[in-house]
Amino acid sequence: MTEFLRQLWEPIARLPRSQQIALGVITVLVFAGIILATMWGSQKEYIQLFEEALKIEDAGKVVAKLRELNIDYKLGKDSTDILVPLTDKSYILLQLAQEKTLPQARPGWQKLIDERSIFAGTTQQEFELNYVRGLQEELENGLVRLEPIENAKVYIVKPKKEVFKEDQKEPTASIFLKLKPGYEITKEQIRAIRDWVTTAVEGLKPENIRITDSNARDLSRMLEEDEELSLDRIKSAQLKHKKEVERDLQKKLQSQFEQVFGYGKAVVRVDCTMDFDQKEAISDVVIPPVEGSSTGVTISEKLENEEYRGKDLVQDGEPGVNSNLPPGAPAYPGTENETWNEYKRNAAIRNYEFTRSKEKYVKEQGNLKRLTVSIILDADQRQLGTDAEEQLRSIAQATVGFNKRRGDVLTLMVMPFNRDLEERARRELEERQRQERTMFMMVVGLLMAIPVLLGLVYIFVRVSRARVLAQEQKMLEEAAREAEAIRKAEELRKAKLREQQEAEWERRFQDINNFFPEITDLEEKRRKVQDLRYKAYLYARDNDSLPIDFDEMTPEEQYLYKEAFKRKADGTLEEGINRLLALIAERDRAREDELARLKQEAEARAKLEERVRKMVAAKPDDAVQVLRIWLEE
């Protein structure tokens, strides 16, 4: 470590004073930035320890216990608002629970009913008040268990009982809901909460419940609007169809103008008057069965024909019409001219069959009865011109299907939009983005300064290291030259010693007795030398260099291998091998002869022993005498 610091300081010490000061300032700034970034990144996020407001006494106990346990905390907007680190909240609550310092919960149903001491000696009004309190607490606890609800407050008003029913007021309830961040409550959930509270409170009707959330929204009003729509499903469907038609026309017209003037530069509003009246018309048409004929097919016919002629005089009065006519009226048939009468009657009854067709016409509902369109464009009317405005109006009329006879109205206005809020929001967004970019650039600059500083340090170290290495290289070169000179001197000395040794070996090993002094038998010594020489000659014939373990060999072996390679160099190696083969062959023959002689002697001795053994068995006395004579000889 000391050597590293020394190598690091040496190049810095050689720099000018100004560069040393600049390097020191950069180092201090980098480390200060690292420290600030570390402190900024290690800041703790604090959160409320208890969601509900605490009593001042409970808050004092909790703060005292937090100090006793040496737990980090802060006070919020008031003395009862205790803030703790977000990551330590669960641990702190467990510690407070273990120390029995958690604030006591409000009296609920279990506390008010199970612990009956609170009802001992109470009046009826106090009993009813405690009953309502317990009921409110139980309802609040039940609401908090629902998924989207973080906290809930229930207020129940139960009027006193009257003697007469018409004077009795109905109970009411108000529910305040605080939703969890990111959650939204649906109409089905609101309806379920209302019905649940209705069944829990005696005499409470759904219309007497008001539900409000933390955003000051009347959630029960949403149900009322939905129920008003559900009272008439047909009206709801008609309104939905009307909205869809208006939305479709508005979308087409809006996109068309925004493609020309740009996004957000056109405001389109469409109102449709729809005809949802249903009309039916039934038409009964008679069609002749025969084409071209005006009559039908005759299915029955009845013909009557009467004729009367006479000259009767009316004596007693004529029955029928003539007797009832006033004086002076003509008779039927006339009775004048000597009372001549004539009566004729022809009648025909025919029944025809026709083809009848009944047609029912039902008028379609949802037809567009009247259309009102208003368009505002963000442009300068003077630059746009009257002709362009008329063209835009014509395009809009063609897009929505304008019909003047239907009473449609289309209004087009061209004027610059007021974009103060948009500009303010844009400036705020740009300012926030600029601050974020500045902070990001500061962090990036600090992070980049670290490798720059490390790079400078690395450069200084490398420069100093290079100088040291150059010096060490120079010293190593000098040492290498000295070592080379020593090596050459040593090699020269070894060469001289080797030459002296070889000369000594040449002189020494001229005599066979100097080989292997540990072997005393000359014949055995000669045989070993011949075998070793033959092995060395064969190795020299097959190889071009001395064996790897040459330095580990005995002097005799080294001498014989040297001799073999000298003969190889002189070209007399094969001659030496042949001579050694002849000597070895002659030695082997002599050995075989000696073995044969020894074998014969052994066989003769065996035969003699056999004869003596037989003689001992047959004639012991003679055998003893023979052995005595053999031993004396």
Side-chain angles (χ1 to χ4, degrees), residues 111-129:
K111 184 174 181 64
L112 293 176
I113 299 300
D114 295 345
E115 299 179 4
R116 299 185 180 180
S117 60
I118 194 170
F119 291 96
T122 58
T123 63
Q124 181 65 25
Q125 292 181 348
E126 292 175 343
F127 181 87
E128 292 179 355
L129 177 61

mmCIF file with all atom_site columns, all heavy atoms in Angstrom, residues 111-129:
data_model
loop_
_atom_site.group_PDB
_atom_site.id
_atom_site.type_symbol
_atom_site.label_atom_id
_atom_site.label_alt_id
_atom_site.label_comp_id
_atom_site.label_asym_id
_atom_site.label_entity_id
_atom_site.label_seq_id
_atom_site.pdbx_PDB_ins_code
_atom_site.Cartn_x
_atom_site.Cartn_y
_atom_site.Cartn_z
_atom_site.occupancy
_atom_site.B_iso_or_equiv
_atom_site.pdbx_formal_charge
_atom_site.auth_seq_id
_atom_site.auth_comp_id
_atom_site.auth_asym_id
_atom_site.auth_atom_id
_atom_site.pdbx_PDB_model_num
ATOM 1   N N   . LYS A 1 111 ? -67.439 -4.341  22.323 1.00 0.00 ? 111 LYS A N   1
ATOM 2   C CA  . LYS A 1 111 ? -67.129 -3.692  23.598 1.00 0.00 ? 111 LYS A CA  1
ATOM 3   C C   . LYS A 1 111 ? -68.389 -3.189  24.281 1.00 0.00 ? 111 LYS A C   1
ATOM 4   O O   . LYS A 1 111 ? -68.536 -3.264  25.499 1.00 0.00 ? 111 LYS A O   1
ATOM 5   C CB  . LYS A 1 111 ? -66.149 -2.538  23.356 1.00 0.00 ? 111 LYS A CB  1
ATOM 6   C CG  . LYS A 1 111 ? -65.682 -1.862  24.631 1.00 0.00 ? 111 LYS A CG  1
ATOM 7   C CD  . LYS A 1 111 ? -64.614 -0.842  24.312 1.00 0.00 ? 111 LYS A CD  1
ATOM 8   C CE  . LYS A 1 111 ? -64.127 -0.176  25.583 1.00 0.00 ? 111 LYS A CE  1
ATOM 9   N NZ  . LYS A 1 111 ? -63.467 -1.110  26.481 1.00 0.00 ? 111 LYS A NZ  1
ATOM 10  N N   . LEU A 1 112 ? -69.328 -2.653  23.483 1.00 0.00 ? 112 LEU A N   1
ATOM 11  C CA  . LEU A 1 112 ? -70.532 -2.071  24.073 1.00 0.00 ? 112 LEU A CA  1
ATOM 12  C C   . LEU A 1 112 ? -71.525 -3.131  24.532 1.00 0.00 ? 112 LEU A C   1
ATOM 13  O O   . LEU A 1 112 ? -72.320 -2.894  25.434 1.00 0.00 ? 112 LEU A O   1
ATOM 14  C CB  . LEU A 1 112 ? -71.202 -1.139  23.075 1.00 0.00 ? 112 LEU A CB  1
ATOM 15  C CG  . LEU A 1 112 ? -70.416 0.138   22.733 1.00 0.00 ? 112 LEU A CG  1
ATOM 16  C CD1 . LEU A 1 112 ? -71.139 0.916   21.667 1.00 0.00 ? 112 LEU A CD1 1
ATOM 17  C CD2 . LEU A 1 112 ? -70.218 0.992   23.964 1.00 0.00 ? 112 LEU A CD2 1
ATOM 18  N N   . ILE A 1 113 ? -71.510 -4.311  23.900 1.00 0.00 ? 113 ILE A N   1
ATOM 19  C CA  . ILE A 1 113 ? -72.482 -5.342  24.245 1.00 0.00 ? 113 ILE A CA  1
ATOM 20  C C   . ILE A 1 113 ? -71.880 -6.366  25.194 1.00 0.00 ? 113 ILE A C   1
ATOM 21  O O   . ILE A 1 113 ? -72.451 -6.713  26.224 1.00 0.00 ? 113 ILE A O   1
ATOM 22  C CB  . ILE A 1 113 ? -73.010 -6.020  22.971 1.00 0.00 ? 113 ILE A CB  1
ATOM 23  C CG1 . ILE A 1 113 ? -73.707 -4.966  22.087 1.00 0.00 ? 113 ILE A CG1 1
ATOM 24  C CG2 . ILE A 1 113 ? -73.977 -7.130  23.314 1.00 0.00 ? 113 ILE A CG2 1
ATOM 25  C CD1 . ILE A 1 113 ? -74.866 -4.271  22.733 1.00 0.00 ? 113 ILE A CD1 1
ATOM 26  N N   . ASP A 1 114 ? -70.674 -6.867  24.839 1.00 0.00 ? 114 ASP A N   1
ATOM 27  C CA  . ASP A 1 114 ? -70.070 -7.913  25.662 1.00 0.00 ? 114 ASP A CA  1
ATOM 28  C C   . ASP A 1 114 ? -69.675 -7.392  27.041 1.00 0.00 ? 114 ASP A C   1
ATOM 29  O O   . ASP A 1 114 ? -69.825 -8.089  28.043 1.00 0.00 ? 114 ASP A O   1
ATOM 30  C CB  . ASP A 1 114 ? -68.856 -8.501  24.955 1.00 0.00 ? 114 ASP A CB  1
ATOM 31  C CG  . ASP A 1 114 ? -69.281 -9.220  23.686 1.00 0.00 ? 114 ASP A CG  1
ATOM 32  O OD1 . ASP A 1 114 ? -70.480 -9.487  23.541 1.00 0.00 ? 114 ASP A OD1 1
ATOM 33  O OD2 . ASP A 1 114 ? -68.388 -9.495  22.850 1.00 0.00 ? 114 ASP A OD2 1
ATOM 34  N N   . GLU A 1 115 ? -69.130 -6.168  27.078 1.00 0.00 ? 115 GLU A N   1
ATOM 35  C CA  . GLU A 1 115 ? -68.786 -5.570  28.363 1.00 0.00 ? 115 GLU A CA  1
ATOM 36  C C   . GLU A 1 115 ? -70.006 -4.794  28.861 1.00 0.00 ? 115 GLU A C   1
ATOM 37  O O   . GLU A 1 115 ? -70.180 -3.618  28.537 1.00 0.00 ? 115 GLU A O   1
ATOM 38  C CB  . GLU A 1 115 ? -67.569 -4.656  28.236 1.00 0.00 ? 115 GLU A CB  1
ATOM 39  C CG  . GLU A 1 115 ? -66.318 -5.404  27.766 1.00 0.00 ? 115 GLU A CG  1
ATOM 40  C CD  . GLU A 1 115 ? -65.143 -4.476  27.624 1.00 0.00 ? 115 GLU A CD  1
ATOM 41  O OE1 . GLU A 1 115 ? -65.293 -3.293  27.968 1.00 0.00 ? 115 GLU A OE1 1
ATOM 42  O OE2 . GLU A 1 115 ? -64.086 -4.943  27.169 1.00 0.00 ? 115 GLU A OE2 1
ATOM 43  N N   . ARG A 1 116 ? -70.844 -5.425  29.565 1.00 0.00 ? 116 ARG A N   1
ATOM 44  C CA  . ARG A 1 116 ? -72.165 -4.876  29.879 1.00 0.00 ? 116 ARG A CA  1
ATOM 45  C C   . ARG A 1 116 ? -72.120 -3.793  30.952 1.00 0.00 ? 116 ARG A C   1
ATOM 46  O O   . ARG A 1 116 ? -73.142 -3.219  31.302 1.00 0.00 ? 116 ARG A O   1
ATOM 47  C CB  . ARG A 1 116 ? -73.097 -5.990  30.326 1.00 0.00 ? 116 ARG A CB  1
ATOM 48  C CG  . ARG A 1 116 ? -73.301 -7.038  29.249 1.00 0.00 ? 116 ARG A CG  1
ATOM 49  C CD  . ARG A 1 116 ? -74.313 -8.076  29.667 1.00 0.00 ? 116 ARG A CD  1
ATOM 50  N NE  . ARG A 1 116 ? -74.486 -9.065  28.620 1.00 0.00 ? 116 ARG A NE  1
ATOM 51  C CZ  . ARG A 1 116 ? -75.316 -10.097 28.701 1.00 0.00 ? 116 ARG A CZ  1
ATOM 52  N NH1 . ARG A 1 116 ? -76.043 -10.273 29.795 1.00 0.00 ? 116 ARG A NH1 1
ATOM 53  N NH2 . ARG A 1 116 ? -75.419 -10.959 27.693 1.00 0.00 ? 116 ARG A NH2 1
ATOM 54  N N   . SER A 1 117 ? -70.924 -3.529  31.464 1.00 0.00 ? 117 SER A N   1
ATOM 55  C CA  . SER A 1 117 ? -70.853 -2.508  32.509 1.00 0.00 ? 117 SER A CA  1
ATOM 56  C C   . SER A 1 117 ? -71.236 -1.139  31.998 1.00 0.00 ? 117 SER A C   1
ATOM 57  O O   . SER A 1 117 ? -71.678 -0.286  32.740 1.00 0.00 ? 117 SER A O   1
ATOM 58  C CB  . SER A 1 117 ? -69.435 -2.459  33.086 1.00 0.00 ? 117 SER A CB  1
ATOM 59  O OG  . SER A 1 117 ? -68.512 -2.141  32.064 1.00 0.00 ? 117 SER A OG  1
ATOM 60  N N   . ILE A 1 118 ? -71.064 -0.924  30.666 1.00 0.00 ? 118 ILE A N   1
ATOM 61  C CA  . ILE A 1 118 ? -71.389 0.393   30.119 1.00 0.00 ? 118 ILE A CA  1
ATOM 62  C C   . ILE A 1 118 ? -72.895 0.627   30.106 1.00 0.00 ? 118 ILE A C   1
ATOM 63  O O   . ILE A 1 118 ? -73.371 1.738   30.051 1.00 0.00 ? 118 ILE A O   1
ATOM 64  C CB  . ILE A 1 118 ? -70.797 0.535   28.709 1.00 0.00 ? 118 ILE A CB  1
ATOM 65  C CG1 . ILE A 1 118 ? -70.830 2.002   28.276 1.00 0.00 ? 118 ILE A CG1 1
ATOM 66  C CG2 . ILE A 1 118 ? -71.534 -0.309  27.677 1.00 0.00 ? 118 ILE A CG2 1
ATOM 67  C CD1 . ILE A 1 118 ? -70.060 2.273   27.025 1.00 0.00 ? 118 ILE A CD1 1
ATOM 68  N N   . PHE A 1 119 ? -73.684 -0.486  30.153 1.00 0.00 ? 119 PHE A N   1
ATOM 69  C CA  . PHE A 1 119 ? -75.141 -0.340  30.161 1.00 0.00 ? 119 PHE A CA  1
ATOM 70  C C   . PHE A 1 119 ? -75.721 -0.348  31.577 1.00 0.00 ? 119 PHE A C   1
ATOM 71  O O   . PHE A 1 119 ? -76.923 -0.186  31.761 1.00 0.00 ? 119 PHE A O   1
ATOM 72  C CB  . PHE A 1 119 ? -75.795 -1.479  29.363 1.00 0.00 ? 119 PHE A CB  1
ATOM 73  C CG  . PHE A 1 119 ? -75.532 -1.378  27.893 1.00 0.00 ? 119 PHE A CG  1
ATOM 74  C CD1 . PHE A 1 119 ? -74.495 -2.082  27.300 1.00 0.00 ? 119 PHE A CD1 1
ATOM 75  C CD2 . PHE A 1 119 ? -76.322 -0.570  27.096 1.00 0.00 ? 119 PHE A CD2 1
ATOM 76  C CE1 . PHE A 1 119 ? -74.265 -1.998  25.960 1.00 0.00 ? 119 PHE A CE1 1
ATOM 77  C CE2 . PHE A 1 119 ? -76.091 -0.492  25.745 1.00 0.00 ? 119 PHE A CE2 1
ATOM 78  C CZ  . PHE A 1 119 ? -75.064 -1.197  25.170 1.00 0.00 ? 119 PHE A CZ  1
ATOM 79  N N   . ALA A 1 120 ? -74.865 -0.588  32.548 1.00 0.00 ? 120 ALA A N   1
ATOM 80  C CA  . ALA A 1 120 ? -75.365 -0.673  33.919 1.00 0.00 ? 120 ALA A CA  1
ATOM 81  C C   . ALA A 1 120 ? -75.777 0.703   34.408 1.00 0.00 ? 120 ALA A C   1
ATOM 82  O O   . ALA A 1 120 ? -74.969 1.647   34.386 1.00 0.00 ? 120 ALA A O   1
ATOM 83  C CB  . ALA A 1 120 ? -74.302 -1.273  34.838 1.00 0.00 ? 120 ALA A CB  1
ATOM 84  N N   . GLY A 1 121 ? -77.010 0.839   34.817 1.00 0.00 ? 121 GLY A N   1
ATOM 85  C CA  . GLY A 1 121 ? -77.491 2.084   35.389 1.00 0.00 ? 121 GLY A CA  1
ATOM 86  C C   . GLY A 1 121 ? -77.662 3.194   34.385 1.00 0.00 ? 121 GLY A C   1
ATOM 87  O O   . GLY A 1 121 ? -77.597 4.364   34.760 1.00 0.00 ? 121 GLY A O   1
ATOM 88  N N   . THR A 1 122 ? -77.858 2.884   33.087 1.00 0.00 ? 122 THR A N   1
ATOM 89  C CA  . THR A 1 122 ? -78.039 3.915   32.069 1.00 0.00 ? 122 THR A CA  1
ATOM 90  C C   . THR A 1 122 ? -79.516 4.125   31.816 1.00 0.00 ? 122 THR A C   1
ATOM 91  O O   . THR A 1 122 ? -80.352 3.229   31.995 1.00 0.00 ? 122 THR A O   1
ATOM 92  C CB  . THR A 1 122 ? -77.357 3.514   30.771 1.00 0.00 ? 122 THR A CB  1
ATOM 93  O OG1 . THR A 1 122 ? -77.897 2.266   30.324 1.00 0.00 ? 122 THR A OG1 1
ATOM 94  C CG2 . THR A 1 122 ? -75.857 3.345   30.969 1.00 0.00 ? 122 THR A CG2 1
ATOM 95  N N   . THR A 1 123 ? -79.836 5.326   31.335 1.00 0.00 ? 123 THR A N   1
ATOM 96  C CA  . THR A 1 123 ? -81.212 5.630   30.968 1.00 0.00 ? 123 THR A CA  1
ATOM 97  C C   . THR A 1 123 ? -81.502 5.061   29.587 1.00 0.00 ? 123 THR A C   1
ATOM 98  O O   . THR A 1 123 ? -80.618 4.590   28.884 1.00 0.00 ? 123 THR A O   1
ATOM 99  C CB  . THR A 1 123 ? -81.425 7.142   30.971 1.00 0.00 ? 123 THR A CB  1
ATOM 100 O OG1 . THR A 1 123 ? -80.587 7.732   29.987 1.00 0.00 ? 123 THR A OG1 1
ATOM 101 C CG2 . THR A 1 123 ? -81.091 7.743   32.342 1.00 0.00 ? 123 THR A CG2 1
ATOM 102 N N   . GLN A 1 124 ? -82.743 5.168   29.161 1.00 0.00 ? 124 GLN A N   1
ATOM 103 C CA  . GLN A 1 124 ? -83.135 4.662   27.851 1.00 0.00 ? 124 GLN A CA  1
ATOM 104 C C   . GLN A 1 124 ? -82.461 5.459   26.747 1.00 0.00 ? 124 GLN A C   1
ATOM 105 O O   . GLN A 1 124 ? -82.013 4.889   25.725 1.00 0.00 ? 124 GLN A O   1
ATOM 106 C CB  . GLN A 1 124 ? -84.665 4.731   27.695 1.00 0.00 ? 124 GLN A CB  1
ATOM 107 C CG  . GLN A 1 124 ? -85.188 4.196   26.370 1.00 0.00 ? 124 GLN A CG  1
ATOM 108 C CD  . GLN A 1 124 ? -84.946 2.713   26.210 1.00 0.00 ? 124 GLN A CD  1
ATOM 109 O OE1 . GLN A 1 124 ? -84.826 1.996   27.203 1.00 0.00 ? 124 GLN A OE1 1
ATOM 110 N NE2 . GLN A 1 124 ? -84.863 2.251   24.977 1.00 0.00 ? 124 GLN A NE2 1
ATOM 111 N N   . GLN A 1 125 ? -82.351 6.757   26.901 1.00 0.00 ? 125 GLN A N   1
ATOM 112 C CA  . GLN A 1 125 ? -81.701 7.589   25.889 1.00 0.00 ? 125 GLN A CA  1
ATOM 113 C C   . GLN A 1 125 ? -80.217 7.233   25.773 1.00 0.00 ? 125 GLN A C   1
ATOM 114 O O   . GLN A 1 125 ? -79.675 7.133   24.677 1.00 0.00 ? 125 GLN A O   1
ATOM 115 C CB  . GLN A 1 125 ? -81.879 9.070   26.238 1.00 0.00 ? 125 GLN A CB  1
ATOM 116 C CG  . GLN A 1 125 ? -83.315 9.548   26.127 1.00 0.00 ? 125 GLN A CG  1
ATOM 117 C CD  . GLN A 1 125 ? -83.455 11.025  26.459 1.00 0.00 ? 125 GLN A CD  1
ATOM 118 O OE1 . GLN A 1 125 ? -82.526 11.647  26.988 1.00 0.00 ? 125 GLN A OE1 1
ATOM 119 N NE2 . GLN A 1 125 ? -84.635 11.585  26.182 1.00 0.00 ? 125 GLN A NE2 1
ATOM 120 N N   . GLU A 1 126 ? -79.544 7.040   26.929 1.00 0.00 ? 126 GLU A N   1
ATOM 121 C CA  . GLU A 1 126 ? -78.137 6.652   26.883 1.00 0.00 ? 126 GLU A CA  1
ATOM 122 C C   . GLU A 1 126 ? -77.965 5.280   26.250 1.00 0.00 ? 126 GLU A C   1
ATOM 123 O O   . GLU A 1 126 ? -77.016 5.036   25.495 1.00 0.00 ? 126 GLU A O   1
ATOM 124 C CB  . GLU A 1 126 ? -77.556 6.669   28.295 1.00 0.00 ? 126 GLU A CB  1
ATOM 125 C CG  . GLU A 1 126 ? -77.458 8.050   28.897 1.00 0.00 ? 126 GLU A CG  1
ATOM 126 C CD  . GLU A 1 126 ? -76.984 7.998   30.349 1.00 0.00 ? 126 GLU A CD  1
ATOM 127 O OE1 . GLU A 1 126 ? -77.048 6.904   30.959 1.00 0.00 ? 126 GLU A OE1 1
ATOM 128 O OE2 . GLU A 1 126 ? -76.553 9.025   30.864 1.00 0.00 ? 126 GLU A OE2 1
ATOM 129 N N   . PHE A 1 127 ? -78.895 4.389   26.559 1.00 0.00 ? 127 PHE A N   1
ATOM 130 C CA  . PHE A 1 127 ? -78.824 3.054   25.961 1.00 0.00 ? 127 PHE A CA  1
ATOM 131 C C   . PHE A 1 127 ? -78.941 3.129   24.436 1.00 0.00 ? 127 PHE A C   1
ATOM 132 O O   . PHE A 1 127 ? -78.181 2.496   23.691 1.00 0.00 ? 127 PHE A O   1
ATOM 133 C CB  . PHE A 1 127 ? -79.927 2.178   26.548 1.00 0.00 ? 127 PHE A CB  1
ATOM 134 C CG  . PHE A 1 127 ? -79.922 0.780   26.016 1.00 0.00 ? 127 PHE A CG  1
ATOM 135 C CD1 . PHE A 1 127 ? -79.139 -0.204  26.593 1.00 0.00 ? 127 PHE A CD1 1
ATOM 136 C CD2 . PHE A 1 127 ? -80.701 0.444   24.904 1.00 0.00 ? 127 PHE A CD2 1
ATOM 137 C CE1 . PHE A 1 127 ? -79.130 -1.486  26.084 1.00 0.00 ? 127 PHE A CE1 1
ATOM 138 C CE2 . PHE A 1 127 ? -80.688 -0.835  24.384 1.00 0.00 ? 127 PHE A CE2 1
ATOM 139 C CZ  . PHE A 1 127 ? -79.909 -1.808  24.991 1.00 0.00 ? 127 PHE A CZ  1
ATOM 140 N N   . GLU A 1 128 ? -79.934 3.909   23.965 1.00 0.00 ? 128 GLU A N   1
ATOM 141 C CA  . GLU A 1 128 ? -80.126 4.043   22.518 1.00 0.00 ? 128 GLU A CA  1
ATOM 142 C C   . GLU A 1 128 ? -78.913 4.719   21.868 1.00 0.00 ? 128 GLU A C   1
ATOM 143 O O   . GLU A 1 128 ? -78.499 4.352   20.751 1.00 0.00 ? 128 GLU A O   1
ATOM 144 C CB  . GLU A 1 128 ? -81.395 4.838   22.236 1.00 0.00 ? 128 GLU A CB  1
ATOM 145 C CG  . GLU A 1 128 ? -82.675 4.096   22.628 1.00 0.00 ? 128 GLU A CG  1
ATOM 146 C CD  . GLU A 1 128 ? -83.917 4.921   22.371 1.00 0.00 ? 128 GLU A CD  1
ATOM 147 O OE1 . GLU A 1 128 ? -83.746 6.101   21.972 1.00 0.00 ? 128 GLU A OE1 1
ATOM 148 O OE2 . GLU A 1 128 ? -85.033 4.420   22.574 1.00 0.00 ? 128 GLU A OE2 1
ATOM 149 N N   . LEU A 1 129 ? -78.329 5.708   22.574 1.00 0.00 ? 129 LEU A N   1
ATOM 150 C CA  . LEU A 1 129 ? -77.149 6.371   22.039 1.00 0.00 ? 129 LEU A CA  1
ATOM 151 C C   . LEU A 1 129 ? -75.982 5.387   21.910 1.00 0.00 ? 129 LEU A C   1
ATOM 152 O O   . LEU A 1 129 ? -75.302 5.336   20.874 1.00 0.00 ? 129 LEU A O   1
ATOM 153 C CB  . LEU A 1 129 ? -76.763 7.552   22.923 1.00 0.00 ? 129 LEU A CB  1
ATOM 154 C CG  . LEU A 1 129 ? -75.482 8.305   22.507 1.00 0.00 ? 129 LEU A CG  1
ATOM 155 C CD1 . LEU A 1 129 ? -75.632 8.894   21.109 1.00 0.00 ? 129 LEU A CD1 1
ATOM 156 C CD2 . LEU A 1 129 ? -75.146 9.397   23.518 1.00 0.00 ? 129 LEU A CD2 1
#
